[in-house]
Amino acid sequence: SALNNPDQLQRAVLADAVTHLAMSYYGSPDPSVSPEWQAEWSGIAQLPILVKVEVELAAGSHWPILIAHPRLGIGRQEEALPDEALPEDAADTPPPAMDEEPQPVEN
């Protein structure tokens, strides 16, 4: 498969004239702390509960906000994400601005 052989990977343009791309991550690196939207998810052993992607194009138009629940294992049957794991305002909560310094996550 191409995933296991980088020589088989192909580049593809997914969007032209992107002027702003923002990604944020909903979760907590510490299970005893309530999940929140984070500007970064680096060096954390588990996946975030949700990933939010926002795209702005040169003409000022925006893609619809994409919020996805990442999972490991393509094609595996997994239980649906329980409603209590989702923030009430999942689609309405803006991610941290890209030009702001991300706040460190306490471990």
Side-chain angles (χ1 to χ4, degrees):
S1 100
L3 293 175
N4 295 326
N5 186 351
D7 294 333
Q8 293 180 356
L9 295 178
Q10 297 179 3
R11 292 183 184 263
V13 175
L14 301 178
D16 287 322
V18 172
T19 58
H20 184 77
L21 173 71
M23 294 185 70
S24 55
Y25 311 90
Y26 184 78
S28 174
D30 180 350
S32 66
V33 176
S34 296
E36 296 179 341
W37 285 107
Q38 313 283 333
E40 292 184 1
W41 198 267
S42 177
I44 301 171
Q46 72 269 9
L47 292 172
I49 297 168
L50 300 171
V51 176
K52 184 189 300 188
V53 180
E54 297 181 81
V55 177
E56 182 178 336
L57 304 175
S61 61
H62 294 81
W63 283 8
I65 294 172
L66 170 67
I67 298 177
H69 170 51
R71 300 184 303 180
L72 293 176
I74 297 172
R76 283 183 39 201
Q77 288 288 357
E78 295 186 28
E79 292 183 26
L81 185 65
D83 288 340
E84 62 270 9
L86 299 174
E88 290 181 22
D89 57 351
D92 299 330
T93 304
M98 290 184 72
D99 57 351
E100 292 179 4
E101 188 67 32
Q103 298 299 311
V105 177
E106 295 181 353
N107 291 330

